[in-house]
Amino acid sequence: MILFGLLLVCIMVAVAFYLKRRNFRKSIYYEMTHHNLLPVMLNKGIYGEYLTSRIIEKHALKSHKQLVNVYVPKRKSQDMTELDLLYIDRTGLYVIESKNCGFSQGIYLIEVKE
């Protein structure tokens, strides 16, 4: 009886992982990065970026465009900075940073006007 229960739990976990992986492979995030699901799930920062991308994908207008891990040059410097997510819509450009600071997590929208 215990063996049957253990087998049933293993099957349920395998099915859940398969479904999650299938949805992950359909995402814009996967299209842009080609990361595998398991390393993404094990890295809190990257997983936060993926979840943010999925939320935007689910709720944004169909005409939007997402760019992931965009490198742009810093002003007056040769250095580059990474943008976690650049969301492009008819209403503007939105830079989204996902942060995992250990004690607090958050998604920040940076508004720049010039």
Side-chain angles (χ1 to χ4, degrees):
M1 188 65 173
I2 294 174
L3 195 58
F4 177 73
L6 186 60
L7 180 63
L8 187 60
V9 168
C10 289
I11 290 171
M12 289 172 54
V13 167
V15 168
F17 187 78
Y18 169 78
L19 293 174
K20 190 166 189 86
R21 183 172 177 257
R22 189 179 69 184
N23 287 336
F24 176 75
R25 293 261 172 138
K26 292 178 183 177
S27 70
I28 291 173
Y29 185 84
Y30 177 75
E31 276 181 37
M32 306 283 293
T33 64
H34 293 285
H35 289 312
N36 289 321
L37 177 60
L38 193 56
V40 168
M41 289 179 65
L42 295 176
N43 183 312
K44 287 182 182 180
I46 295 174
Y47 191 59
E49 291 174 13
Y50 163 66
L51 292 177
T52 303
S53 175
R54 288 295 289 186
I55 290 168
I56 290 172
E57 194 175 333
K58 184 176 180 181
H59 296 289
L61 298 172
K62 297 299 179 200
S63 62
H64 84 280
K65 179 76 173 164
Q66 288 184 45
L67 299 175
V68 180
N69 300 328
V70 178
Y71 288 91
V72 294
K74 291 183 179 180
R75 275 189 182 168
K76 302 176 187 173
S77 172
Q78 296 295 325
D79 295 335
M80 302 289 271
T81 188
E82 180 185 1
L83 309 176
D84 289 341
L85 188 88
L86 182 61
Y87 170 70
I88 305 167
D89 192 84
R90 61 183 166 86
T91 61
L93 298 172
Y94 301 91
V95 176
I96 301 172
E97 287 291 320
S98 299
K99 296 294 177 200
N100 176 18
C101 302
F103 56 88
S104 68
Q105 298 175 344
I107 299 169
Y108 302 94
L109 176 63
I110 302 167
E111 183 175 355
V112 179
K113 293 183 180 177
E114 280 194 32

